[in-house]
Amino acid sequence: MGRKNCKIHIGGSPKRLPESSGGFSEQEKPGPGLMVSKSRNIQPDRERMGLSSYTYVCLKSKHEGSKILLPKPKRQPLGNRCFQSNLGLDLCLRVPSISINPKGPQLSAQLEGWLSQAQTSKRPARAIIAPHAGYTYCGSCAAHAYKQVDPSITRRVFILGPSHHVALSRCALSTVDIYRTPLYDLHIDQKVYGELWKTGMFERMSLQTDEDEHSIEMHLPYTAKTMESHKDEFTIVPVLVGALSESKEQEFGKLFSKYLADPTNLFVISSDFCHWGQRFRYTYYDESQGEIYRSIENLDKMGMSIIEELDPVPFSNYLKKYHNTICGRHPIGVLLNAATELQKSGVNMSFSFLNYAQSSQCRSWQDSSVSYAAGALVVH
């Protein structure tokens, strides 16, 4: 079956993103301990972290007669070396060329450390909002959200992440069956994928897009760690969310509401908050708040308070007024619409943010930062 290796991106200058993503910075780069994309010139970083190179592997149906193909300078058509799933999607696998990832135990211990420091206050969560930056910057913050997950009842994890690299007007599904993390493999729920695909509302992610996108990928190790005690009893449903219009956020929210209603499902909404600085072309500053970083915090917490209302309209109005560069605003919009749909049928729920952090404290116009927030949705 197809697999996607869990990796990080190192090197390269910060770049401006499509409207759907809000910005990209050093603080958004995935953190240490995960596999690295070989397409970048990062050999010194790989050696420093003890990471191996990878090979491309394609597997025949039911894992029969697997074979290894060496990577080539230019990507060849997938159809020449991949089989297809029942959805007509190409299946490919990327794995380390060594059987044991030396960073797996270290990463597991790091995640365990952060989780042990977080408090359980909103458990069991039906949905969480958590950041997708490098763990050095946001690992501690994300733990406050994942701590609210109850692995004993969770059997399916939906991961909704914004598109940072390609322009999408809808949502997209992965073309692989399995994501490989340094902890263990995560299997994509093909039954749910089939249900979603039949709606005609989804596109297909290319393998390149899947490999490049970190908004979903950075939640894979945390998902694996949180569900470790029941690792053979759950599946994942990764969804790449494009720059949706308000009407499309409503449509997707209605679609996902039936899954949100199921207590065995967990929704992970991937989002960082304000991307501030000239590098992001966003320098909103309310001088009455004092230092710049205080203004950023006030702006973010204004939006966070609105999200806690579980009403998509005020959140949309907030974004229109302040243009806060919340990269996961569309996945958040989908969640708010899904929650609204359930509330119409009498479902009682609440959302609370549990932690907030910034990658650095901006004090001058030359500074930049990315904000992170962690919260949980509980159905009463």
Side-chain angles (χ1 to χ4, degrees):
M1 294 300 180
R3 307 191 187 188
K4 173 179 177 286
N5 200 60
C6 200
K7 60 189 181 304
I8 64 174
H9 307 286
I10 297 178
S13 59
K15 52 188 176 182
R16 181 66 180 168
L17 298 174
E19 186 275 334
S20 63
S21 56
F24 182 91
S25 74
E26 297 292 327
Q27 296 89 343
E28 272 203 322
K29 288 179 181 177
L34 308 182
M35 295 308 298
V36 184
S37 171
K38 192 180 172 76
S39 63
R40 303 189 183 224
N41 183 20
I42 41 77
Q43 192 59 37
D45 296 281
R46 295 183 61 82
E47 294 173 352
R48 174 174 56 82
M49 292 187 291
L51 300 177
S52 68
S53 60
Y54 65 79
T55 56
Y56 283 104
V57 180
C58 292
L59 301 184
K60 292 184 179 180
S61 178
K62 305 297 183 182
H63 301 275
E64 296 174 358
S66 61
K67 61 180 180 179
I68 297 178
L69 301 179
L70 297 177
K72 299 184 178 181
K74 294 184 179 180
R75 182 181 299 274
Q76 293 186 352
L78 296 179
N80 291 343
R81 52 193 177 90
C82 296
F83 294 82
Q84 292 188 324
S85 70
N86 56 1
L87 297 180
L89 308 180
D90 292 319
L91 304 179
C92 283
L93 163 66
R94 282 182 64 208
V95 298
S97 58
I98 55 174
S99 59
I100 300 177
N101 187 334
K103 283 295 178 179
Q106 179 181 334
L107 175 61
S108 180
Q110 187 178 48
L111 297 176
E112 179 64 37
W114 285 320
L115 288 168
S116 67
Q117 296 172 20
Q119 300 297 316
T120 301
S121 58
K122 298 293 178 182
R123 199 178 192 189
R126 189 69 59 86
I128 62 173
I129 293 178
H132 53 240
Y135 289 157
T136 300
Y137 295 99
C138 76
S140 177
C141 177
H144 290 270
Y146 278 97
K147 187 72 171 185
Q148 314 314 314
V149 177
D150 185 350
S152 69
I153 63 173
T154 302
R155 293 296 172 264
R156 190 179 294 111
V157 181
F158 289 75
I159 306 175
L160 275 59
S163 175
H164 287 83
H165 301 285
V166 296
L168 290 175
S169 60
R170 301 190 293 172
C171 293
L173 305 178
S174 177
T175 58
V176 301
D177 283 338
I178 296 171
Y179 283 172
R180 169 159 289 178
T181 79
L183 279 70
Y184 57 88
D185 292 352
L186 301 177
H187 295 254
I188 292 178
D189 194 310
Q190 295 302 321
K191 178 178 180 295
V192 172
Y193 253 26
E195 294 171 357
L196 297 178
W197 185 253
K198 288 178 182 178
T199 66
M201 298 170 63
F202 293 84
E203 301 177 25
R204 296 171 179 172
M205 262 188 270
S206 70
L207 184 61
Q208 186 65 58
T209 296
D210 207 348
E211 291 176 343
D212 290 344
E213 184 54 62
H214 66 278
S215 70
I216 293 174
E217 181 175 43
M218 291 308 295
H219 286 281
L220 303 180
Y222 247 125
T223 297
K225 183 61 182 178
T226 302
M227 296 296 298
E228 195 170 33
S229 61
H230 295 266
K231 66 179 182 179
D232 297 322
E233 302 172 20
F234 78 101
T235 54
I236 62 171
V237 183
V239 178
L240 189 62
V241 180
L244 306 180
S245 63
E246 291 181 31
S247 61
K248 285 189 177 180
E249 285 182 359
Q250 186 175 10
E251 291 175 10
F252 279 102
K254 185 175 182 179
L255 172 65
F256 284 117
S257 65
K258 70 174 184 178
Y259 297 103
L260 185 63
D262 186 342
T264 65
N265 289 337
L266 168 71
F267 276 75
V268 175
I269 306 301
S270 176
S271 182
D272 295 336
F273 274 68
C274 184
H275 299 64
W276 194 94
Q278 296 181 41
R279 68 196 307 175
F280 303 118
R281 303 176 191 173
Y282 187 76
T283 53
Y284 171 88
Y285 178 35
D286 180 357
E287 294 184 0
S288 68
Q289 297 298 319
E291 296 276 12
I292 294 174
Y293 72 90
R294 293 291 187 188
S295 171
I296 297 171
E297 180 177 357
N298 182 69
L299 176 67
D300 279 331
K301 290 190 173 179
M302 189 189 312
M304 291 159 63
S305 295
I306 293 172
I307 292 171
E308 289 179 335
E309 297 174 9
L310 293 177
D311 187 341
V313 176
F315 183 59
S316 179
N317 292 337
Y318 161 82
L319 293 173
K320 290 175 183 177
K321 181 176 181 178
Y322 295 101
H323 305 283
N324 192 359
T325 48
I326 301 173
C327 56
R329 56 193 175 274
H330 297 298
I332 292 173
V334 171
L335 174 66
L336 296 181
N337 277 280
T340 298
E341 193 68 25
L342 290 184
Q343 287 174 322
K344 290 178 182 178
S345 60
V347 178
N348 184 22
M349 60 183 67
S350 63
F351 189 96
S352 300
F353 278 100
L354 307 169
N355 189 262
Y356 175 79
Q358 295 177 356
S359 61
S360 61
Q361 294 185 340
C362 293
R363 300 176 187 273
S364 74
W365 297 106
Q366 286 70 46
D367 294 337
S368 66
S369 71
V370 177
S371 306
Y372 317 114
L377 173 75
V378 176
V379 176
H380 304 288

